[in-house]
Amino acid sequence: TQLLEQSPQFLSIQEGENLTVYCNSSSVFSSLQWYRQEPGEGPVLLVTVVTGGEVKKLKRLTFQFGDARKDSSLHITAAQPGDTGLYLCAGTQTGANNLFFGTGTRLTVIP
Amino acid sequence: DAGITQSPRHKVTETGTPVTLRCHQTENHRYMYWYRQDPGHGLRLIHYSYGVKDTDKGEVSDGYSVSRSKTEDFLLTLESATSSQTSVYFCAISELDNTEAFFGQGTRLTVV
């Protein structure tokens, strides 16, 4: 059972385009984290959102946590080749000793 | 970068043999985790530790055991490797439970 579903699974866009990646669940999470993973490396944390409706910005990346804390989105403005990678969302639930990871979105930005 | 070292980075082993993967940290973080990453499944928790000699099972613990005799080392053992355990294994650490996790570079294990 996959608690967190990410869409799209693959995304290939031209440099300069905008994109949105989604992370959805039927379960409530106490927090949501977004990671980026490059080939041959471990995931690296980008941001943590904890409050329903929260929006965080990291340069050209905008992260939003759904009001009901069941979903999240990552929007990238004017994508660059350096944004290429696997984007993973991960959620925490109260009382659970685990980060539940989504299946990931593999983004390719073409120069 | 957080001080996490996984060894070996690559390993090929035969079905039925025991295999031990090592994770070493220099951050003195309390929590340590072992995940496996497979296409279509994302990262799945195998075992985790919340202190020396304190470990617990994760989502996919069958066929795996762990030990943590020192704060800095967390070992993952495949008792009798099977082809289904071919995967990339990641160690992660965190200071508090389920907060920001820092990952190692991974170990690519192939069981033939």
Side-chain angles (χ1 to χ4, degrees), chain A residues 18-30:
Chain A
N18 302 332
L19 67 112
T20 302
V21 173
Y22 299 93
C23 174
N24 295 304
S25 177
S26 57
S27 302
V28 175
F29 290 92
S30 52

Side-chain angles (χ1 to χ4, degrees), chain A residues 91-93 96-100, chain B residues 33 35 45 48 58-59 97-98:
Chain A
T92 60
Q93 293 183 313
N97 295 311
N98 190 12
L99 265 179
F100 297 96
Chain B
Y33 309 83
Y35 287 89
L45 183 68
Y48 68 97
E59 182 185 355
D97 189 21
N98 284 331

